């Protein structure tokens, strides 16, 4: 059978390899979509901790000018305080829990239901290509093991509002707009039950917690970078294989 009969099939295979390589490379170099997140990822039941909300800017021509974080009404937190932040104003909204909470100072019949940060006049906000963090000291955290979501609304200077409010279902992929979530671990996993309240007379403990939280959030970015690099390598390998196949095919035809 003449060799020319196989030429279309060879060219077809070559085209498929090239297309696969180009597609892999294109996917690899596409930046992973960042989202509003909270750290630490896990916490002990009943613990006091610093919650760090990490807010990236995903717009090309608009700045983030507001962050509205809603605290869970089904698992209210008795004590919440905000770390002041230069260039931003904040407003705390309170509400009554379904049932009074107990604290070291007695019954608590009013809890924080949301915190809204708004960029101060004259400040740029979070500009394109930047991110910022917002710290809140909170406790005691819920004592029931499981996820605790903090739904968040991110407002941009062009009026767009991104609603980070979707709750991930167990065993399902992460939704497109996931709510910032921490997981309360089982008491047995921590070795103790309820953690003692942190000493708030100095900022040393909160500073260490905040640093660790920021490191935890950065690990997600490191994973995304590693996956991106792996994708680039696979894409380059596919393109190289396609080129080698093309050279060998042309030699055989010659």
């Amino acid at each position: 059978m003449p060799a020319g009969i196989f030429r279309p099939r060879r060219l077809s295979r070559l085209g498929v390899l090239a297309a696969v390589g180009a597609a892999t490379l294109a996917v690899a170099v596409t930046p992973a979509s960042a989202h509003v997140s909270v750290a630490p990822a896990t916490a002990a039941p009943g613990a006091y901790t610093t919650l760090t909300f990490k807010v990236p800017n995903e717009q090309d021509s608009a700045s983030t000018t507001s962050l509205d974080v809603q605290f869970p009404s089904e698992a209210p937190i008795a004590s919440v305080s905000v770390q002041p932040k230069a260039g931003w104003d904040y407003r705390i909204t309170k509400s009554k829990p379904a049932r009074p909470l107990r604290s070291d100072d007695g019954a608590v019949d009013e809890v924080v239901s949301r915190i809204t940060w708004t960029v101060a006049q004259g400040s740029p906000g979070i500009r394109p290509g930047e991110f910022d963090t917002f710290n809140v000291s909170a406790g005691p955290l819920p004592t029931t093991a499981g996820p605790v979501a903090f739904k968040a609304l991110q407002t941009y200077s062009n009026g767009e509002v991104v609603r980070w409010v979707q709750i991930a279902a167990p065993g399902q992929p992460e939704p497109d707009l996931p709510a910032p979530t921490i997981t309360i671990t089982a008491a047995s996993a921590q070795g103790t039950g309820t953690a003692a309240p942190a000493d708030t007379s100095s900022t040393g403990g909160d500073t260490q917690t905040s640093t660790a939280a920021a490191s935890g959030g950065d690990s997600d970015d490191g994973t995304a970078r590693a996956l991106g690099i792996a994708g680039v390598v696979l894409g380059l390998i596919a393109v190289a294989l396609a080129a080698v196949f093309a050279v060998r095919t042309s030699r055989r035809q010659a």
Side-chain angles (χ1 to χ4, degrees), residues 18 51 106 118 120-121 127 136 161 165 193 235 244 251:
L51 302 175
T118 305
Q121 186 175 2
R127 293 172 291 196
V136 174
V161 179
V165 298
V244 171
R251 290 178 178 176

Side-chain angles (χ1 to χ4, degrees), residues 5-100:
I5 295 178
F6 293 93
R7 186 175 300 171
R9 183 174 297 176
R10 289 173 179 172
L11 293 176
S12 176
R13 291 175 180 174
L14 176 61
V16 170
L17 285 173
V20 170
T24 304
L25 186 60
V27 171
V29 299
T30 300
S33 178
H35 51 76
V36 174
S37 59
V38 63
T42 61
Y48 284 73
T49 189
T50 296
L51 302 175
T52 299
F53 295 92
K54 183 178 180 180
V55 183
N57 191 315
E58 296 182 302
Q59 294 277 349
D60 294 329
S61 58
S63 298
T64 296
T65 57
S66 176
L67 175 67
D68 184 1
V69 175
Q70 303 174 24
F71 281 67
S73 59
E74 69 280 4
I77 300 175
S79 175
V80 176
S81 58
V82 181
Q83 182 180 46
K85 187 173 184 64
W88 293 81
D89 299 322
Y90 67 87
R91 182 179 72 255
I92 295 177
T93 302
K94 295 184 178 182
S95 62
K96 292 185 177 298
R99 52 186 176 81

Side-chain angles (χ1 to χ4, degrees), residues 24 28 224-237:
T24 304
R225 294 192 192 98
L227 292 175
I229 293 172
V232 170
V233 172
L234 290 175
L236 292 175
I237 291 174

